[in-house]
Amino acid sequence: MKNRTIEIMAPAGSWQSLQAAIQGGANSIYFGIEQLNMRAKSSNNFTLKDLVEIAEFCNKNNIKTYITLNTIIYDHDLILMKKIVDTAKQTGITAIIASDQAVISYAASINMEVHISTQTNITNIEAIRFFAKFAEVVILSRELSLLQIKEIIKEIEKQQIKGPSGNLVQIEIFAHGALCMAVSGKCYMSLHTANSSANRGACIQNCRKTYTVIDKEDGHQFDIDNEYIISPKDLCTIGFLDQVLDSGINILKIEGRGRSPEYVKTTTQSYREAADAYLEGTYNKEKVKGWINKLESVYNRGFWDGYYLGQKLGEWTGIHGSKATKQKIYLGKAKNYFAKIQVAEFDLETEHLKEGDNIIITGRTTGIIETVAGEIRLNDKQVESVRKGDNFSMRLDQIVRPNDKLYKIVNIK
């Protein structure tokens, strides 16, 4: 497997998450621009003005960049859509992820690389053949099994189905993150109940709520005890990643543009390590346990294997929100960093901190630093702990910047 590469594609919903993705070992990042993407409401999307900086920074770090331009497009969106695609082409963004034929056709017409979004719901080889006229990469429907995926990849190779560049079309799948009850993300519940279209990036997540069932014949009401019956657990393939990669997949996508930087770094790092272990022949159950423990420490709704190993039903979350084993507590902000003596200065705005606490620091160019609180000094004296309102210094061998945020990480009981 020396010649095989596996691309880990990480979400970037903010500058902090973009940095965290790179720190976690991502080969590529995907992000939204303005409002024409499927996370327009839930993540801090970038603007057209950010594209030059994103492209320059990522190209310098050998990171591919993909813009998610994958919502339904109306006539009044066409001018903005074309402006985004044009700017992406001019600034050196790698590709556009699209589902609407207007975006696909326009991007292809100016020789901008196109990836077909999962919202297009590609499930067969004939659809691959059609979209190969426009696209280098196809993200398959989330409802396919590994057997179906393997057969599609086999046919691409057998029939030599190539994209515009002349290379064989590559297949990408989702490897980790949130799933919803809709077919490949196409849902209308939010539109019906709140006039807020999920297919325009404005999902209000109706499926994550509890519901009461009413018997229409006699009026009896029943609460569904401990079952969020339309809120699936999160997809997690790390426990059978060897089978996923055996299918021929070379691009693994991690969901989570609305998630925190520590989520991005932890998930990216775990799948990078697992993919490398697969290539090196060292992937095993013991390592899987370690990766799952790490993945459970950040935001998750519980894990299941999606439909890859067969269509199982009833994998519902059972709770509202996250099942993470750890949580972060905001403490304050960085004021200065003294590089010569490796000391950082912070203002503690809330809570308390003691030497030995697990902490993380996040910032626009810092990304995420995960470490343990070292020697703490208050008014030039070494102390065991500091409290709200204190201005203190702490030994830190990694550079932080003014206004970087400081958090304490604690176990959830």
Side-chain angles (χ1 to χ4, degrees):
M1 298 188 187
K2 288 182 179 179
N3 295 325
R4 185 176 177 187
T5 58
I6 296 168
E7 179 179 329
I8 304 297
M9 183 179 172
S14 66
W15 281 107
Q16 291 92 331
S17 291
L18 189 156
Q19 295 278 359
I22 295 172
Q23 291 170 347
N27 305 102
S28 59
I29 54 110
Y30 65 102
F31 57 96
I33 290 289
E34 309 294 348
Q35 69 266 29
L36 299 181
N37 70 89
M38 294 298 282
R39 291 294 181 272
K41 187 173 182 178
S42 63
S43 65
N44 299 316
N45 294 289
F46 297 100
T47 67
L48 280 169
K49 293 179 181 178
D50 294 317
L51 283 186
V52 172
E53 187 176 355
I54 291 171
E56 286 180 354
F57 179 76
C58 289
N59 289 339
K60 188 170 74 174
N61 286 278
N62 199 29
I63 303 294
K64 295 177 182 178
T65 47
Y66 307 134
I67 291 178
T68 54
L69 196 52
N70 57 347
T71 60
I72 291 172
I73 300 292
Y74 296 126
D75 282 332
H76 65 261
D77 298 316
L78 292 174
I79 293 174
L80 176 58
M81 179 273 287
K82 290 179 180 179
K83 190 173 183 181
I84 292 173
V85 177
D86 288 343
T87 307
K89 175 75 172 177
Q90 293 160 10
T91 55
I93 295 298
T94 307
I96 299 290
I97 301 174
S99 61
D100 193 295
Q101 192 61 48
V103 185
I104 295 168
S105 297
Y106 182 72
S109 74
I110 64 167
N111 296 316
M112 181 70 200
E113 185 175 319
V114 177
H115 296 184
I116 303 300
S117 172
T118 192
Q119 270 73 35
T120 314
N121 200 216
I122 304 297
T123 58
N124 60 73
I125 194 64
E126 290 303 322
I128 300 278
R129 191 197 313 283
F130 172 79
F131 282 106
K133 291 178 286 189
F134 308 97
E136 302 293 341
V137 175
V138 171
I139 303 121
L140 293 176
S141 168
R142 299 185 195 183
E143 289 71 44
L144 293 180
S145 70
L146 287 180
L147 287 175
Q148 291 170 309
I149 293 168
K150 189 172 185 177
E151 189 60 32
I152 286 172
I153 293 172
K154 188 189 298 182
E155 286 300 312
I156 289 172
E157 294 172 352
K158 180 181 176 182
Q159 299 180 31
Q160 289 291 291
I161 300 175
K162 297 177 180 179
S165 68
N167 296 319
L168 289 178
V169 170
Q170 287 190 288
I171 296 298
E172 173 189 315
I173 66 164
F174 280 81
H176 190 91
L179 289 175
C180 70
M181 64 172 292
V183 175
S184 282
K186 289 187 175 181
C187 181
Y188 295 91
M189 286 185 68
S190 186
L191 180 64
H192 287 316
T193 60
N195 197 30
S196 185
S197 176
N199 302 296
R200 295 276 289 172
C203 179
I204 63 168
Q205 296 199 329
N206 307 58
C207 62
R208 307 302 183 190
K209 302 176 182 178
T210 53
Y211 287 91
T212 297
V213 178
I214 300 175
D215 185 330
K216 284 191 173 182
E217 291 186 6
D218 58 21
H220 281 95
Q221 297 184 6
F222 302 92
D223 286 325
I224 309 301
D225 187 32
N226 294 323
E227 286 286 346
Y228 285 65
I229 57 171
I230 49 177
S231 177
K233 294 178 181 177
D234 288 355
L235 173 66
C236 179
T237 64
I238 209 158
F240 57 98
L241 197 66
D242 53 343
Q243 295 179 62
V244 171
L245 297 175
D246 282 345
S247 72
I249 290 294
N250 285 324
I251 306 174
L252 300 174
K253 186 173 190 174
I254 296 168
E255 188 277 337
R257 275 182 290 146
R259 300 282 171 250
S260 65
E262 63 269 22
Y263 169 93
V264 173
K265 184 178 179 182
T266 298
T267 52
T268 302
Q269 195 171 57
S270 297
Y271 278 87
R272 177 74 275 157
E273 290 173 3
D276 289 346
Y278 170 84
L279 293 174
E280 294 162 2
T282 60
Y283 176 92
N284 58 49
K285 289 182 180 180
E286 197 60 37
K287 287 185 176 181
V288 167
K289 285 181 184 178
W291 293 318
I292 289 178
N293 284 337
K294 285 171 64 177
L295 293 170
E296 286 177 339
S297 72
V298 292
Y299 192 101
N300 71 87
R301 297 184 180 91
F303 296 134
W304 72 306
D305 51 30
Y307 300 111
Y308 292 132
L309 301 180
Q311 295 193 359
K312 296 193 299 182
L313 300 177
E315 294 282 349
W316 313 117
T317 60
I319 66 164
H320 179 70
S322 178
K323 289 186 175 182
T325 59
K326 297 180 185 295
Q327 71 176 118
K328 65 179 182 182
I329 298 172
Y330 176 72
L331 298 180
K333 294 187 181 75
K335 288 194 69 177
N336 290 298
Y337 183 76
F338 305 96
K340 287 185 178 180
I341 56 174
Q342 294 187 319
V343 167
E345 181 186 359
F346 294 91
D347 281 332
L348 199 64
E349 299 174 11
T350 185
E351 279 282 337
H352 61 274
L353 176 71
K354 67 178 186 296
E355 188 175 335
D357 280 346
N358 292 313
I359 59 171
I360 63 172
I361 301 162
T362 66
R364 187 183 188 277
T365 55
T366 302
I368 179 168
I369 295 171
E370 301 172 279
T371 187
V372 174
E375 179 186 304
I376 297 173
R377 298 186 75 86
L378 181 65
N379 299 322
D380 285 334
K381 293 181 180 178
Q382 187 173 348
V383 295
E384 290 185 4
S385 64
V386 284
R387 295 189 172 277
K388 178 182 176 180
D390 288 341
N391 172 259
F392 70 98
S393 60
M394 179 172 61
R395 284 206 172 277
L396 195 66
D397 61 5
Q398 298 176 72
I399 297 173
V400 297
R401 284 89 178 171
N403 295 316
D404 281 359
K405 293 180 179 179
L406 172 67
Y407 299 88
K408 177 168 60 175
I409 301 298
V410 299
N411 293 324
I412 298 175
K413 296 179 181 179

